Amino acid sequence: MSESPLRTPAIPVTDPEAGLRLTEVFYSLQGEALTSGLPTIFVRLTGCPLRCVYCDTEYAFTGGERQSLESIIETTKRYPCKRICLTGGEPLAQPNAIELMKRLLADDYEISLETAGALTVENVPPAVSKVMDLKTPSSGEEDKNLWSNLNHLTQHDQIKFVIMNRKDYDWAKQKLFEHKLDKLVGTVWFSPMFNVADDIGEETSLDVPILARELAEWLLADALPVRFQLQLHKIIWADAKGK
């Protein structure tokens, strides 16, 4: 079988015994999507085939440490929580992520999967809530959208558009209606691109970007059947690693 051209070359397609390359496991509040504000264990895998211009987790592109699936699961058990967000990088760049999700589900964890939408979600267990991006033109990765993924989404899943400008908004609105996305999944999110400085401290105020107010006004004017969101973790902790 030929390897996908999107596959991160440094992360081989292997059997479950080879485990996964892991960047970090940490415990925090979920900052976005339907479980926003809830205590959550984040399992961040290493590697990503995309290079979106606004990416805030570039540190997960490379490095990490290969760990067994059993070791990762034992780490999650240290936290007083049964809610897991599998994120990256791009978790699906490592096929063993599917096996990890199956084992976590068997241990009665509630799982959400953050995926960029460039690799197939066909084999993701149905009990996992897929939070799938559709990359807008300004992301620089619009051509990587795997539109066949829409065939594998249900009301249990969510779609997210990161909006950088009016062009992105109009494009996302077109795709919303063209594919009837609000009928396809449980929630469609429109989120303004929201990066913050690394040096925000107690004496520094964090201003909501003008784009957020503009996006809110566009949504009100068009009365779109979508939900607006800001990334809660950035408001609280800026872009601190492990938060």
Side-chain angles (χ1 to χ4, degrees):
M1 180 181 295
S2 62
E3 189 175 60
S4 165
L6 290 177
R7 188 79 65 202
T8 304
I11 301 172
V13 179
T14 53
D15 64 81
E17 294 305 314
L20 288 160
R21 187 164 291 279
L22 179 73
T23 293
E24 58 186 347
V25 177
F26 61 96
Y27 179 55
S28 186
L29 296 181
Q30 175 60 271
E32 52 191 318
L34 286 176
T35 56
S36 178
L38 291 174
T40 303
I41 303 164
F42 292 83
V43 178
R44 188 182 303 283
L45 301 184
T46 307
C48 184
L50 304 186
R51 293 296 181 266
C52 300
V53 300
Y54 49 70
C55 183
D56 55 7
T57 52
E58 293 182 0
Y59 65 89
F61 286 169
T62 58
E65 178 184 347
R66 185 165 292 281
Q67 294 191 23
S68 69
L69 302 185
E70 293 78 7
S71 174
I72 295 171
I73 293 170
E74 284 303 311
T75 300
T76 66
K77 291 179 179 179
R78 299 173 187 170
Y79 300 103
C81 183
K82 295 294 285 188
R83 187 177 302 105
I84 286 180
C85 177
L86 188 62
T87 186
E90 168 53 69
L92 296 180
Q94 299 190 63
N96 284 341
I98 300 294
E99 179 63 23
L100 176 65
M101 285 184 273
K102 290 178 179 178
R103 296 189 187 188
L104 289 168
L105 288 170
D107 277 346
D108 296 321
Y109 281 95
E110 173 189 334
I111 306 173
S112 63
L113 167 71
E114 294 184 344
T115 178
L119 297 173
T120 183
V121 299
E122 180 177 6
N123 297 318
V124 175
V128 173
S129 180
K130 298 179 285 293
V131 184
M132 192 186 84
D133 281 18
L134 286 175
K135 298 301 182 183
T136 56
S138 298
S139 71
E141 297 285 25
E142 176 192 357
D143 64 328
K144 302 299 195 307
N145 287 318
L146 185 62
W147 292 100
S148 61
N149 271 335
L150 298 182
N151 298 324
H152 306 296
L153 300 181
T154 72
Q155 288 292 308
H156 187 51
D157 301 320
Q158 305 163 59
I159 287 175
K160 181 180 71 176
F161 293 94
V162 176
I163 308 295
M164 295 187 68
N165 48 46
R166 181 71 199 209
K167 177 183 177 182
D168 282 353
Y169 174 78
D170 289 337
W171 181 90
K173 181 170 66 172
Q174 176 190 349
K175 299 303 180 185
L176 172 72
F177 292 131
E178 178 184 346
H179 297 284
K180 298 181 174 60
L181 298 179
D182 59 308
K183 308 297 183 184
L184 181 66
V185 297
T187 306
V188 178
W189 299 96
F190 276 37
S191 180
M193 193 281 289
F194 188 20
N195 283 338
V196 294
D198 293 331
D199 58 353
I200 290 177
E202 294 181 1
E203 306 300 323
T204 307
S205 63
L206 175 59
D207 293 327
V208 174
I210 293 174
L211 174 62
R213 293 190 288 272
E214 291 177 337
L215 177 56
E217 294 293 344
W218 299 337
L219 290 174
L220 287 169
D222 290 336
L224 295 186
V226 305
R227 295 181 69 171
F228 172 93
Q229 73 171 353
L230 289 174
Q231 292 169 298
L232 181 64
H233 51 288
K234 293 189 176 183
I235 297 172
I236 299 173
W237 292 294
D239 272 333
K241 185 177 179 181
K243 289 292 187 179

